[in-house]
Each structure stands twice: as structure tokens, then as C-alpha cells.
Amino acid sequence: MTKATSANAPAAGAPETDAQDTAQAGLVTPVMRALKLLRYVADGGSTANLSDVGRRIGVNRVTVMRLVETLQYEGVLEPLPHGGHRLGLGFLTLAASALAGEDHLATARRVLTRVTSETGLSSYLTVLDGAQVRYLLCETPALPLVSNIRAGSRVTAHLTAPGRSLLAHLGTERRRALLGPEPLAAATAQSARTYAALDAQLARDREAGCAWSQDGFEAGIDACAAAVLDAHGRPLAALSVAGPRALVGTDSVTRERTARVVKSGAVDLAVLLADAPAFLAAAERA
């Protein structure tokens, strides 16, 4: 992190924060600073040391102090007994009111739209349905359709990247109960036919935080998926992207960027779909 040069001066990293903000025509810099502070607090950051907060979000200490005072006055932040702040009831009720007025799947689609925009790939929301995954939502870029997967499609779970990302967060006995006896179903030569092979594959998926598939279900189609987990680490759904290898890319930098977007989208969906019963009820109606 860069250090502030003085209490009233912008942080040394200002070229990528305040200076950059003001260069964006039409953007309101104080609002952007307030949102940076709110994201910092929402992610668990402490406001006990305002100088440290300023260094972390690229805003000078005096501005941070004024932001905290203003947001606290408006009920968006509230002080903690032993120092620092948390999101206030004013913010939480505003967010709750906004979510209450939206259908869970409509809210989820907004995340898929963003993921497709950032990756240029088709994005999908799936849920586990017995031994299969069911595709609830699909967002596609303005490209010729390359996959046979549509909203409503059902595929044996362990044959797809989203299915593997969900199975990776189930216990061994649950997986076996769902998938049945060996040999396991296969779609390509890469498909795991034994539980030993599948368990090893799922262990790698868990470690990576996402599941990659190369020609795993459809020839020429690569996919990346991450599980959407509830507060107890149980899989609610999976977010995935898929596309032809030429578009997905084969270099590590491109794939890491794609995986980062997918994992970030899964985290956002975990927050938006936190009301699991309502989400699952919406999924049943889809």
C-alpha cells in the first residue's frame, strides 16, 4: 500500500484514485469516495485508525473523517462500542427494501449480465437437481450460438464444470448417494468413470476455488464455474461461463482473469441469494 504524504494531502497512490476519479467526466468524486469507504467497511475493514483507512482506500485522513461523520449522521454507518464502525441500520434497511422488491432470479441475472460483459462468454446459473444440474438462467454475448446448453437444460452433474463445483462442496457419502454405483456416466474421454478419479478432480476444484472443463462435455467448448455458497458453506447454486476455446483463451493470464470474474460473481450471488428458501422456491418455479 502507498502512504499518505500528510494528513491533508492525497495518498501517494492518488493517480489511481482521486486524480483518476476527477478525470472521469460527469462522475461525482465525493460519492465515489463514500462508496469506497462503505465497501471497505462491508468487507470487514476497521475504521478505528482513520489514517490506515485512508491509505487502504486511497483517500486522505481528513476526508475519511468527514465521510465517516456524514455517513454516521445519515445512519449508513454506526459506531461500535470498542471503536470503529459497521454498516448502519439505515444502509441495511435500504438494501433490504431494494432486494424485497426484486425477484431472486431477476437479481441473479444482473450478475450474469455483468459476467458476460466482462468475459465475452456465455454465463449460466445452475442448481443441483438430484444427480443432475439444472440450468436456470443463461446470458449470451452477441456471438453465434456455440453451445447446446439452454435455460432449462439438465445434465449429469459430474460431467460439467458447474456440476463439479457443486459436488465439490458435498460430503463423500452424499455424492455417492446422488450419482449411484460405478462406472460413472461419461460424456468424453476426460469424464471421471470412478469415484477415485472424481474425488481427486473435485479436490483440485476445491483448492482452486473453481472448476475448469476443457472439452469436458461439448467438443470445442471450455467452461469455468464456481459454487455459490450459503453462510454455512453449503452450495446453493453455481455460476459458470463457457465458450469456444479460441474465445476462452489458453494462456494463464486470460484464464486467471476469467476465473477471477467468475469467483467474484459467485461471491456477489451468495450475498444476493442469501435468503435460500426464497431463492430455491424461485428456482423450483423456473
Side-chain angles (χ1 to χ4, degrees), residues 40-41 44-50 53 68 72 78-87:
Y40 171 77
V41 174
S46 171
T47 58
N49 185 323
L50 297 184
V53 175
V68 168
Q72 184 175 323
E78 61 184 34
L80 293 168
H82 304 293
H85 295 78
R86 63 183 177 184
L87 295 180

Side-chain angles (χ1 to χ4, degrees), residues 140-154:
T140 58
L143 295 169
L145 194 62
V146 296
S147 173
N148 291 319
I149 297 296
R150 311 279 196 280
S153 295
R154 295 172 185 264

Side-chain angles (χ1 to χ4, degrees), residues 50-108:
L50 297 184
S51 295
D52 182 57
V53 175
R55 285 192 293 270
R56 291 179 181 276
I57 68 173
V59 177
N60 72 68
R61 180 184 179 281
V62 172
T63 299
V64 173
M65 179 177 65
R66 291 171 178 166
L67 287 173
V68 168
E69 290 175 350
T70 302
L71 293 173
Q72 184 175 323
Y73 177 81
E74 292 293 332
V76 177
L77 290 179
E78 61 184 34
L80 293 168
H82 304 293
H85 295 78
R86 63 183 177 184
L87 295 180
L89 287 176
F91 179 90
L92 297 177
T93 54
L94 179 65
S97 297
L99 287 176
E102 290 211 28
D103 174 81
H104 281 73
L105 293 183
T107 303

Side-chain angles (χ1 to χ4, degrees), residues 12-267:
E16 56 184 1
T17 53
D18 291 358
Q20 186 182 58
D21 295 346
T22 55
Q24 300 294 322
L27 301 184
V28 183
T29 304
V31 175
M32 297 175 74
R33 292 171 181 157
L35 290 173
K36 288 177 183 177
L37 176 59
L38 289 174
R39 292 190 188 101
Y40 171 77
V41 174
D43 288 339
S46 171
T47 58
N49 185 323
L50 297 184
S51 295
D52 182 57
V53 175
R55 285 192 293 270
R56 291 179 181 276
I57 68 173
V59 177
N60 72 68
R61 180 184 179 281
V62 172
T63 299
V64 173
M65 179 177 65
R66 291 171 178 166
L67 287 173
V68 168
E69 290 175 350
T70 302
L71 293 173
Q72 184 175 323
Y73 177 81
E74 292 293 332
V76 177
L77 290 179
E78 61 184 34
L80 293 168
H82 304 293
H85 295 78
R86 63 183 177 184
L87 295 180
L89 287 176
F91 179 90
L92 297 177
T93 54
L94 179 65
S97 297
L99 287 176
E102 290 211 28
D103 174 81
H104 281 73
L105 293 183
T107 303
R109 187 177 289 280
R110 296 163 104 183
V111 176
L112 268 65
T113 300
R114 187 193 72 204
V115 169
T116 289
S117 174
E118 293 182 6
T119 63
L121 303 171
S122 296
S123 58
Y124 303 90
L125 181 70
T126 59
V127 292
L128 198 59
D129 190 353
Q132 299 179 315
V133 284
R134 180 155 54 100
Y135 287 75
L136 298 179
L137 297 176
C138 172
E139 280 290 314
T140 58
L143 295 169
L145 194 62
V146 296
S147 173
N148 291 319
I149 297 296
R150 311 279 196 280
S153 295
R154 295 172 185 264
V155 181
T156 300
H158 73 279
L159 300 179
T160 67
R164 280 171 32 215
S165 71
L166 292 166
L167 292 172
H169 292 278
L170 298 181
T172 301
E173 291 185 4
R174 176 83 187 282
R175 287 200 295 267
R176 281 157 172 69
L178 287 175
L179 299 179
E182 297 177 340
L184 300 174
T188 70
Q190 299 181 42
S191 303
R193 300 300 303 272
T194 67
Y195 280 111
L198 178 61
D199 290 346
Q201 191 175 50
L202 297 181
R204 292 192 295 270
D205 295 340
R206 278 195 303 274
E207 183 177 358
C210 63
W212 274 98
S213 172
Q214 297 176 296
D215 292 324
F217 183 69
E218 295 179 290
I221 303 295
D222 290 359
C224 178
V228 178
L229 304 176
D230 69 11
H232 304 286
R234 297 173 301 204
L236 282 175
L239 172 66
S240 64
V241 295
R245 183 165 302 167
L247 187 60
V248 175
T250 56
D251 62 286
S252 60
V253 173
T254 300
R255 287 186 172 252
E256 286 172 7
R257 182 171 63 246
T258 296
R260 187 163 58 248
V261 172
V262 171
K263 288 190 276 190
S264 174
V267 171

